[in-house]
Amino acid sequence: MYRSISQSNQSGNFDDTRQQRIARSTCEFEDYFDIDEILMLSERIPVVASKHISRLGFLDPTTDSVDLRKGTRLELPLWLAKNLYNMYSVDIKLPRAFSRFYVNIMRADSSCVDLKRLQPNYYKVGRQLRVMLPAEAQQISELLVTTFKGRFRKIADGAQNAQIEETDRVTAMFDNEERVMFLEGQNVILDLKRWHDKTRRNKIYTADLVVNHRKRKWEANCSEDCNRTSEKIDTEHIFNISG
């Protein structure tokens, strides 16, 4: 899971043409004009220059060289890394959030990880990496599913039971997608409560006239039954005396 894309090519595990790279890396734009998508593509990921790149030395703050030398390790915004990757200029490396250390933590208990600090767009970046690194796609997909399963109960429980003023505290460790899911869940619960309140206010009650009529009718029936019972008892008493 931790090999670079170039290592996979050298081992001959799959054929990766430039057209295939471009097709894979462009198909994961969920919404080009979405501000959240733009912010996600601005997150930095580690790369290694796979060849000497002219006039890109300014990307490496540790050198004054005009060109970017082969083997240079640096972190680039995801959008730039994808373009250089399509040009066979860099090899993509897995970010810290997808390192072996955090993979083991996610498998043990993903709910304790502060994704907001570790990788604010954890799931979206993971989906991008899955596309750019086909050799690691299966492992990354399994990791994303495992992470989400371990954290979903906390998200759902918070959405159902947390007060509005507790939102910041409850979502302090959520990544951006988890926070959106939490807020959607809260809105659903609020809509349900409003619906219940509305049905209580708009409940159709029996008119007082009908209630009083039923009450008088019931009282009349009870009185009639009592009279019949009393007459029956008196008749039986008379027969017993005469007998």
Side-chain angles (χ1 to χ4, degrees), residues 63-103:
T63 181
D64 295 330
S65 176
V66 177
D67 301 332
L68 189 64
R69 297 177 181 177
K70 180 180 179 179
T72 302
R73 295 178 176 270
L74 65 162
E75 290 189 347
L76 298 178
L78 184 55
W79 65 268
L80 179 57
K82 291 175 70 171
N83 283 280
L84 293 176
Y85 161 79
N86 291 336
M87 299 169 62
Y88 283 88
S89 298
V90 299
D91 294 330
I92 303 294
K93 298 293 183 178
L94 291 172
R96 186 166 63 101
F98 296 88
S99 65
R100 188 180 302 277
F101 175 76
Y102 279 101
V103 167

mmCIF file of all heavy atoms in Angstrom, residues 63-103:
data_model
loop_
_atom_site.group_PDB
_atom_site.id
_atom_site.type_symbol
_atom_site.label_atom_id
_atom_site.label_comp_id
_atom_site.label_asym_id
_atom_site.label_seq_id
_atom_site.Cartn_x
_atom_site.Cartn_y
_atom_site.Cartn_z
ATOM 1 N N THR A 63 15.974 25.467 -1.411
ATOM 2 C CA THR A 63 17.055 25.666 -2.369
ATOM 3 C C THR A 63 16.840 26.944 -3.167
ATOM 4 O O THR A 63 15.703 27.412 -3.320
ATOM 5 C CB THR A 63 17.153 24.465 -3.336
ATOM 6 O OG1 THR A 63 18.232 24.678 -4.247
ATOM 7 C CG2 THR A 63 15.864 24.300 -4.118
ATOM 8 N N ASP A 64 17.933 27.476 -3.677
ATOM 9 C CA ASP A 64 17.873 28.659 -4.535
ATOM 10 C C ASP A 64 17.990 28.289 -6.006
ATOM 11 O O ASP A 64 18.096 29.169 -6.873
ATOM 12 C CB ASP A 64 18.997 29.633 -4.171
ATOM 13 C CG ASP A 64 18.836 30.192 -2.760
ATOM 14 O OD1 ASP A 64 17.676 30.304 -2.319
ATOM 15 O OD2 ASP A 64 19.860 30.489 -2.118
ATOM 16 N N SER A 65 17.975 27.009 -6.296
ATOM 17 C CA SER A 65 18.128 26.549 -7.670
ATOM 18 C C SER A 65 16.930 26.967 -8.517
ATOM 19 O O SER A 65 15.786 27.001 -8.041
ATOM 20 C CB SER A 65 18.278 25.024 -7.699
ATOM 21 O OG SER A 65 18.325 24.545 -9.029
ATOM 22 N N VAL A 66 17.203 27.285 -9.772
ATOM 23 C CA VAL A 66 16.131 27.667 -10.692
ATOM 24 C C VAL A 66 15.287 26.457 -11.068
ATOM 25 O O VAL A 66 14.064 26.559 -11.227
ATOM 26 C CB VAL A 66 16.718 28.320 -11.961
ATOM 27 C CG1 VAL A 66 15.609 28.653 -12.961
ATOM 28 C CG2 VAL A 66 17.510 29.568 -11.600
ATOM 29 N N ASP A 67 15.932 25.312 -11.199
ATOM 30 C CA ASP A 67 15.234 24.092 -11.610
ATOM 31 C C ASP A 67 14.968 23.196 -10.402
ATOM 32 O O ASP A 67 15.650 23.274 -9.375
ATOM 33 C CB ASP A 67 16.065 23.329 -12.644
ATOM 34 C CG ASP A 67 16.340 24.163 -13.884
ATOM 35 O OD1 ASP A 67 15.513 25.048 -14.184
ATOM 36 O OD2 ASP A 67 17.378 23.935 -14.536
ATOM 37 N N LEU A 68 13.969 22.350 -10.565
ATOM 38 C CA LEU A 68 13.640 21.371 -9.529
ATOM 39 C C LEU A 68 14.367 20.074 -9.859
ATOM 40 O O LEU A 68 14.149 19.479 -10.917
ATOM 41 C CB LEU A 68 12.125 21.135 -9.484
ATOM 42 C CG LEU A 68 11.589 20.310 -8.313
ATOM 43 C CD1 LEU A 68 11.835 21.034 -6.993
ATOM 44 C CD2 LEU A 68 10.095 20.040 -8.490
ATOM 45 N N ARG A 69 15.230 19.659 -8.962
ATOM 46 C CA ARG A 69 16.077 18.511 -9.234
ATOM 47 C C ARG A 69 15.333 17.192 -9.015
ATOM 48 O O ARG A 69 14.421 17.099 -8.203
ATOM 49 C CB ARG A 69 17.313 18.558 -8.337
ATOM 50 C CG ARG A 69 18.199 19.775 -8.585
ATOM 51 C CD ARG A 69 19.359 19.807 -7.619
ATOM 52 N NE ARG A 69 20.203 20.984 -7.843
ATOM 53 C CZ ARG A 69 21.252 21.291 -7.095
ATOM 54 N NH1 ARG A 69 21.587 20.506 -6.067
ATOM 55 N NH2 ARG A 69 21.964 22.375 -7.369
ATOM 56 N N LYS A 70 15.769 16.191 -9.750
ATOM 57 C CA LYS A 70 15.187 14.861 -9.618
ATOM 58 C C LYS A 70 15.432 14.316 -8.212
ATOM 59 O O LYS A 70 16.517 14.465 -7.655
ATOM 60 C CB LYS A 70 15.803 13.922 -10.658
ATOM 61 C CG LYS A 70 15.254 12.502 -10.604
ATOM 62 C CD LYS A 70 15.896 11.624 -11.662
ATOM 63 C CE LYS A 70 15.366 10.201 -11.588
ATOM 64 N NZ LYS A 70 15.966 9.319 -12.631
ATOM 65 N N GLY A 71 14.409 13.690 -7.637
ATOM 66 C CA GLY A 71 14.515 13.121 -6.300
ATOM 67 C C GLY A 71 14.157 14.079 -5.187
ATOM 68 O O GLY A 71 14.153 13.688 -4.011
ATOM 69 N N THR A 72 13.851 15.325 -5.529
ATOM 70 C CA THR A 72 13.478 16.306 -4.506
ATOM 71 C C THR A 72 12.134 15.936 -3.891
ATOM 72 O O THR A 72 11.169 15.664 -4.602
ATOM 73 C CB THR A 72 13.392 17.720 -5.112
ATOM 74 O OG1 THR A 72 14.657 18.059 -5.699
ATOM 75 C CG2 THR A 72 13.027 18.735 -4.048
ATOM 76 N N ARG A 73 12.081 15.935 -2.573
ATOM 77 C CA ARG A 73 10.842 15.656 -1.850
ATOM 78 C C ARG A 73 10.221 16.969 -1.388
ATOM 79 O O ARG A 73 10.910 17.798 -0.796
ATOM 80 C CB ARG A 73 11.111 14.753 -0.643
ATOM 81 C CG ARG A 73 11.594 13.364 -1.014
ATOM 82 C CD ARG A 73 11.884 12.531 0.224
ATOM 83 N NE ARG A 73 12.263 11.180 -0.134
ATOM 84 C CZ ARG A 73 11.413 10.166 -0.276
ATOM 85 N NH1 ARG A 73 10.117 10.374 -0.056
ATOM 86 N NH2 ARG A 73 11.831 8.965 -0.621
ATOM 87 N N LEU A 74 8.957 17.128 -1.641
ATOM 88 C CA LEU A 74 8.256 18.338 -1.225
ATOM 89 C C LEU A 74 6.763 18.070 -1.180
ATOM 90 O O LEU A 74 6.293 17.018 -1.641
ATOM 91 C CB LEU A 74 8.565 19.507 -2.153
ATOM 92 C CG LEU A 74 8.100 19.437 -3.613
ATOM 93 C CD1 LEU A 74 8.104 20.832 -4.225
ATOM 94 C CD2 LEU A 74 9.008 18.537 -4.439
ATOM 95 N N GLU A 75 6.037 19.007 -0.610
ATOM 96 C CA GLU A 75 4.581 18.910 -0.546
ATOM 97 C C GLU A 75 3.979 19.963 -1.466
ATOM 98 O O GLU A 75 4.356 21.136 -1.401
ATOM 99 C CB GLU A 75 4.085 19.106 0.886
ATOM 100 C CG GLU A 75 4.431 17.948 1.809
ATOM 101 C CD GLU A 75 3.739 18.065 3.158
ATOM 102 O OE1 GLU A 75 3.204 19.168 3.446
ATOM 103 O OE2 GLU A 75 3.724 17.078 3.908
ATOM 104 N N LEU A 76 3.034 19.525 -2.291
ATOM 105 C CA LEU A 76 2.400 20.417 -3.256
ATOM 106 C C LEU A 76 0.888 20.358 -3.097
ATOM 107 O O LEU A 76 0.345 19.342 -2.648
ATOM 108 C CB LEU A 76 2.771 20.004 -4.687
ATOM 109 C CG LEU A 76 4.247 20.060 -5.077
ATOM 110 C CD1 LEU A 76 4.420 19.560 -6.503
ATOM 111 C CD2 LEU A 76 4.797 21.472 -4.935
ATOM 112 N N PRO A 77 0.194 21.440 -3.469
ATOM 113 C CA PRO A 77 -1.274 21.374 -3.483
ATOM 114 C C PRO A 77 -1.732 20.239 -4.398
ATOM 115 O O PRO A 77 -1.092 19.946 -5.413
ATOM 116 C CB PRO A 77 -1.683 22.745 -4.035
ATOM 117 C CG PRO A 77 -0.515 23.632 -3.760
ATOM 118 C CD PRO A 77 0.701 22.763 -3.858
ATOM 119 N N LEU A 78 -2.823 19.634 -4.042
ATOM 120 C CA LEU A 78 -3.289 18.462 -4.779
ATOM 121 C C LEU A 78 -3.506 18.763 -6.257
ATOM 122 O O LEU A 78 -3.183 17.944 -7.123
ATOM 123 C CB LEU A 78 -4.580 17.943 -4.139
ATOM 124 C CG LEU A 78 -5.173 16.659 -4.711
ATOM 125 C CD1 LEU A 78 -4.153 15.537 -4.701
ATOM 126 C CD2 LEU A 78 -6.414 16.256 -3.930
ATOM 127 N N TRP A 79 -4.035 19.951 -6.566
ATOM 128 C CA TRP A 79 -4.304 20.275 -7.971
ATOM 129 C C TRP A 79 -3.009 20.352 -8.776
ATOM 130 O O TRP A 79 -2.955 19.922 -9.931
ATOM 131 C CB TRP A 79 -5.074 21.592 -8.085
ATOM 132 C CG TRP A 79 -4.319 22.808 -7.623
ATOM 133 C CD1 TRP A 79 -4.331 23.350 -6.372
ATOM 134 C CD2 TRP A 79 -3.427 23.618 -8.402
ATOM 135 N NE1 TRP A 79 -3.510 24.453 -6.309
ATOM 136 C CE2 TRP A 79 -2.947 24.647 -7.544
ATOM 137 C CE3 TRP A 79 -2.996 23.591 -9.724
ATOM 138 C CZ2 TRP A 79 -2.051 25.621 -7.977
ATOM 139 C CZ3 TRP A 79 -2.100 24.567 -10.157
ATOM 140 C CH2 TRP A 79 -1.649 25.566 -9.294
ATOM 141 N N LEU A 80 -1.939 20.893 -8.170
ATOM 142 C CA LEU A 80 -0.657 20.993 -8.861
ATOM 143 C C LEU A 80 0.016 19.629 -8.956
ATOM 144 O O LEU A 80 0.593 19.275 -9.997
ATOM 145 C CB LEU A 80 0.248 21.986 -8.132
ATOM 146 C CG LEU A 80 1.653 22.191 -8.711
ATOM 147 C CD1 LEU A 80 1.583 22.637 -10.168
ATOM 148 C CD2 LEU A 80 2.433 23.204 -7.871
ATOM 149 N N ALA A 81 -0.083 18.865 -7.878
ATOM 150 C CA ALA A 81 0.512 17.528 -7.889
ATOM 151 C C ALA A 81 -0.123 16.659 -8.972
ATOM 152 O O ALA A 81 0.564 15.880 -9.647
ATOM 153 C CB ALA A 81 0.343 16.880 -6.520
ATOM 154 N N LYS A 82 -1.429 16.807 -9.165
ATOM 155 C CA LYS A 82 -2.112 16.010 -10.187
ATOM 156 C C LYS A 82 -1.633 16.373 -11.587
ATOM 157 O O LYS A 82 -1.437 15.499 -12.435
ATOM 158 C CB LYS A 82 -3.628 16.216 -10.076
ATOM 159 C CG LYS A 82 -4.233 15.624 -8.825
ATOM 160 C CD LYS A 82 -5.702 15.942 -8.696
ATOM 161 C CE LYS A 82 -6.521 15.211 -9.728
ATOM 162 N NZ LYS A 82 -7.973 15.352 -9.482
ATOM 163 N N ASN A 83 -1.438 17.661 -11.826
ATOM 164 C CA ASN A 83 -0.982 18.085 -13.152
ATOM 165 C C ASN A 83 0.449 17.620 -13.426
ATOM 166 O O ASN A 83 0.754 17.145 -14.529
ATOM 167 C CB ASN A 83 -1.081 19.605 -13.275
ATOM 168 C CG ASN A 83 -2.499 20.086 -13.512
ATOM 169 O OD1 ASN A 83 -3.002 20.050 -14.629
ATOM 170 N ND2 ASN A 83 -3.161 20.522 -12.458
ATOM 171 N N LEU A 84 1.324 17.739 -12.444
ATOM 172 C CA LEU A 84 2.697 17.268 -12.623
ATOM 173 C C LEU A 84 2.745 15.748 -12.726
ATOM 174 O O LEU A 84 3.572 15.190 -13.455
ATOM 175 C CB LEU A 84 3.564 17.754 -11.455
ATOM 176 C CG LEU A 84 3.790 19.266 -11.380
ATOM 177 C CD1 LEU A 84 4.579 19.625 -10.129
ATOM 178 C CD2 LEU A 84 4.519 19.770 -12.633
ATOM 179 N N TYR A 85 1.854 15.100 -12.020
ATOM 180 C CA TYR A 85 1.761 13.639 -12.099
ATOM 181 C C TYR A 85 1.352 13.206 -13.507
ATOM 182 O O TYR A 85 1.884 12.238 -14.060
ATOM 183 C CB TYR A 85 0.755 13.162 -11.050
ATOM 184 C CG TYR A 85 0.205 11.777 -11.267
ATOM 185 C CD1 TYR A 85 0.940 10.651 -10.919
ATOM 186 C CD2 TYR A 85 -1.071 11.596 -11.794
ATOM 187 C CE1 TYR A 85 0.426 9.384 -11.105
ATOM 188 C CE2 TYR A 85 -1.592 10.335 -11.979
ATOM 189 C CZ TYR A 85 -0.843 9.229 -11.638
ATOM 190 O OH TYR A 85 -1.360 7.982 -11.821
ATOM 191 N N ASN A 86 0.420 13.931 -14.109
ATOM 192 C CA ASN A 86 -0.017 13.612 -15.471
ATOM 193 C C ASN A 86 1.102 13.818 -16.489
ATOM 194 O O ASN A 86 1.083 13.219 -17.574
ATOM 195 C CB ASN A 86 -1.220 14.477 -15.858
ATOM 196 C CG ASN A 86 -2.463 14.111 -15.070
ATOM 197 O OD1 ASN A 86 -2.583 12.992 -14.585
ATOM 198 N ND2 ASN A 86 -3.379 15.056 -14.927
ATOM 199 N N MET A 87 2.066 14.666 -16.143
ATOM 200 C CA MET A 87 3.202 14.937 -17.033
ATOM 201 C C MET A 87 4.396 14.037 -16.715
ATOM 202 O O MET A 87 5.491 14.253 -17.236
ATOM 203 C CB MET A 87 3.613 16.410 -16.901
ATOM 204 C CG MET A 87 2.519 17.393 -17.287
ATOM 205 S SD MET A 87 2.923 19.102 -16.814
ATOM 206 C CE MET A 87 4.405 19.360 -17.783
ATOM 207 N N TYR A 88 4.193 13.031 -15.858
ATOM 208 C CA TYR A 88 5.267 12.125 -15.445
ATOM 209 C C TYR A 88 6.430 12.882 -14.812
ATOM 210 O O TYR A 88 7.589 12.493 -14.949
ATOM 211 C CB TYR A 88 5.783 11.304 -16.633
ATOM 212 C CG TYR A 88 4.871 10.172 -17.024
ATOM 213 C CD1 TYR A 88 3.845 10.380 -17.933
ATOM 214 C CD2 TYR A 88 5.027 8.907 -16.473
ATOM 215 C CE1 TYR A 88 2.997 9.352 -18.294
ATOM 216 C CE2 TYR A 88 4.183 7.866 -16.827
ATOM 217 C CZ TYR A 88 3.165 8.098 -17.738
ATOM 218 O OH TYR A 88 2.325 7.072 -18.089
ATOM 219 N N SER A 89 6.118 13.960 -14.112
ATOM 220 C CA SER A 89 7.171 14.768 -13.502
ATOM 221 C C SER A 89 7.362 14.450 -12.024
ATOM 222 O O SER A 89 8.430 14.711 -11.470
ATOM 223 C CB SER A 89 6.848 16.261 -13.661
ATOM 224 O OG SER A 89 6.795 16.612 -15.033
ATOM 225 N N VAL A 90 6.329 13.936 -11.363
ATOM 226 C CA VAL A 90 6.432 13.611 -9.940
ATOM 227 C C VAL A 90 5.778 12.262 -9.676
ATOM 228 O O VAL A 90 4.940 11.795 -10.454
ATOM 229 C CB VAL A 90 5.759 14.691 -9.053
ATOM 230 C CG1 VAL A 90 6.425 16.041 -9.231
ATOM 231 C CG2 VAL A 90 4.263 14.769 -9.336
ATOM 232 N N ASP A 91 6.186 11.654 -8.576
ATOM 233 C CA ASP A 91 5.542 10.449 -8.058
ATOM 234 C C ASP A 91 4.739 10.836 -6.824
ATOM 235 O O ASP A 91 5.236 11.551 -5.944
ATOM 236 C CB ASP A 91 6.583 9.391 -7.682
ATOM 237 C CG ASP A 91 7.322 8.865 -8.906
ATOM 238 O OD1 ASP A 91 6.708 8.842 -9.986
ATOM 239 O OD2 ASP A 91 8.505 8.502 -8.767
ATOM 240 N N ILE A 92 3.499 10.391 -6.769
ATOM 241 C CA ILE A 92 2.624 10.706 -5.645
ATOM 242 C C ILE A 92 2.952 9.795 -4.466
ATOM 243 O O ILE A 92 3.095 8.584 -4.621
ATOM 244 C CB ILE A 92 1.146 10.541 -6.038
ATOM 245 C CG1 ILE A 92 0.804 11.415 -7.252
ATOM 246 C CG2 ILE A 92 0.235 10.862 -4.863
ATOM 247 C CD1 ILE A 92 0.873 12.891 -6.988
ATOM 248 N N LYS A 93 3.051 10.381 -3.289
ATOM 249 C CA LYS A 93 3.237 9.630 -2.060
ATOM 250 C C LYS A 93 1.992 9.766 -1.192
ATOM 251 O O LYS A 93 1.263 10.759 -1.287
ATOM 252 C CB LYS A 93 4.461 10.142 -1.287
ATOM 253 C CG LYS A 93 5.779 9.996 -2.029
ATOM 254 C CD LYS A 93 6.149 8.537 -2.205
ATOM 255 C CE LYS A 93 7.510 8.399 -2.880
ATOM 256 N NZ LYS A 93 7.903 6.982 -3.028
ATOM 257 N N LEU A 94 1.767 8.785 -0.350
ATOM 258 C CA LEU A 94 0.602 8.837 0.526
ATOM 259 C C LEU A 94 0.824 9.848 1.650
ATOM 260 O O LEU A 94 1.886 9.862 2.274
ATOM 261 C CB LEU A 94 0.324 7.458 1.123
ATOM 262 C CG LEU A 94 -0.181 6.408 0.131
ATOM 263 C CD1 LEU A 94 -0.221 5.044 0.791
ATOM 264 C CD2 LEU A 94 -1.550 6.783 -0.404
ATOM 265 N N PRO A 95 -0.166 10.696 1.931
ATOM 266 C CA PRO A 95 -0.042 11.659 3.035
ATOM 267 C C PRO A 95 0.041 10.955 4.386
ATOM 268 O O PRO A 95 -0.209 9.756 4.509
ATOM 269 C CB PRO A 95 -1.333 12.487 2.919
ATOM 270 C CG PRO A 95 -1.851 12.233 1.548
ATOM 271 C CD PRO A 95 -1.409 10.853 1.186
ATOM 272 N N ARG A 96 0.360 11.733 5.402
ATOM 273 C CA ARG A 96 0.527 11.186 6.750
ATOM 274 C C ARG A 96 -0.742 10.500 7.242
ATOM 275 O O ARG A 96 -0.681 9.493 7.953
ATOM 276 C CB ARG A 96 0.917 12.317 7.711
ATOM 277 C CG ARG A 96 1.271 11.859 9.118
ATOM 278 C CD ARG A 96 1.971 12.979 9.864
ATOM 279 N NE ARG A 96 1.091 14.125 10.029
ATOM 280 C CZ ARG A 96 0.434 14.396 11.164
ATOM 281 N NH1 ARG A 96 0.564 13.600 12.210
ATOM 282 N NH2 ARG A 96 -0.320 15.463 11.259
ATOM 283 N N ALA A 97 -1.904 11.035 6.864
ATOM 284 C CA ALA A 97 -3.168 10.454 7.322
ATOM 285 C C ALA A 97 -3.386 9.047 6.786
ATOM 286 O O ALA A 97 -4.205 8.297 7.329
ATOM 287 C CB ALA A 97 -4.334 11.347 6.908
ATOM 288 N N PHE A 98 -2.661 8.681 5.729
ATOM 289 C CA PHE A 98 -2.804 7.355 5.131
ATOM 290 C C PHE A 98 -1.549 6.511 5.344
ATOM 291 O O PHE A 98 -1.373 5.491 4.679
ATOM 292 C CB PHE A 98 -3.096 7.490 3.633
ATOM 293 C CG PHE A 98 -4.403 8.164 3.335
ATOM 294 C CD1 PHE A 98 -4.480 9.547 3.232
ATOM 295 C CD2 PHE A 98 -5.567 7.423 3.176
ATOM 296 C CE1 PHE A 98 -5.679 10.179 2.965
ATOM 297 C CE2 PHE A 98 -6.771 8.046 2.906
ATOM 298 C CZ PHE A 98 -6.837 9.429 2.807
ATOM 299 N N SER A 99 -0.698 6.934 6.268
ATOM 300 C CA SER A 99 0.515 6.183 6.566
ATOM 301 C C SER A 99 0.172 4.925 7.361
ATOM 302 O O SER A 99 -0.940 4.768 7.875
ATOM 303 C CB SER A 99 1.491 7.055 7.361
ATOM 304 O OG SER A 99 0.940 7.376 8.629
ATOM 305 N N ARG A 100 1.141 4.040 7.477
ATOM 306 C CA ARG A 100 0.911 2.777 8.184
ATOM 307 C C ARG A 100 0.509 3.020 9.640
ATOM 308 O O ARG A 100 -0.328 2.305 10.197
ATOM 309 C CB ARG A 100 2.177 1.912 8.124
ATOM 310 C CG ARG A 100 1.983 0.500 8.658
ATOM 311 C CD ARG A 100 3.283 -0.287 8.558
ATOM 312 N NE ARG A 100 3.756 -0.353 7.189
ATOM 313 C CZ ARG A 100 3.321 -1.246 6.305
ATOM 314 N NH1 ARG A 100 2.387 -2.118 6.645
ATOM 315 N NH2 ARG A 100 3.818 -1.254 5.081
ATOM 316 N N PHE A 101 1.106 4.041 10.251
ATOM 317 C CA PHE A 101 0.799 4.357 11.649
ATOM 318 C C PHE A 101 -0.684 4.662 11.823
ATOM 319 O O PHE A 101 -1.354 4.108 12.705
ATOM 320 C CB PHE A 101 1.651 5.546 12.097
ATOM 321 C CG PHE A 101 1.335 6.038 13.481
ATOM 322 C CD1 PHE A 101 1.764 5.346 14.599
ATOM 323 C CD2 PHE A 101 0.600 7.204 13.656
ATOM 324 C CE1 PHE A 101 1.465 5.805 15.881
ATOM 325 C CE2 PHE A 101 0.296 7.668 14.921
ATOM 326 C CZ PHE A 101 0.734 6.969 16.038
ATOM 327 N N TYR A 102 -1.218 5.533 10.972
ATOM 328 C CA TYR A 102 -2.624 5.911 11.100
ATOM 329 C C TYR A 102 -3.562 4.839 10.561
ATOM 330 O O TYR A 102 -4.718 4.757 10.986
ATOM 331 C CB TYR A 102 -2.877 7.253 10.412
ATOM 332 C CG TYR A 102 -2.476 8.422 11.267
ATOM 333 C CD1 TYR A 102 -1.277 9.089 11.047
ATOM 334 C CD2 TYR A 102 -3.272 8.843 12.324
ATOM 335 C CE1 TYR A 102 -0.894 10.156 11.848
ATOM 336 C CE2 TYR A 102 -2.895 9.904 13.128
ATOM 337 C CZ TYR A 102 -1.707 10.558 12.890
ATOM 338 O OH TYR A 102 -1.327 11.605 13.694
ATOM 339 N N VAL A 103 -3.090 4.033 9.635
ATOM 340 C CA VAL A 103 -3.908 2.904 9.177
ATOM 341 C C VAL A 103 -4.204 1.971 10.342
ATOM 342 O O VAL A 103 -5.342 1.519 10.537
ATOM 343 C CB VAL A 103 -3.198 2.151 8.036
ATOM 344 C CG1 VAL A 103 -3.879 0.808 7.776
ATOM 345 C CG2 VAL A 103 -3.207 2.984 6.767
#
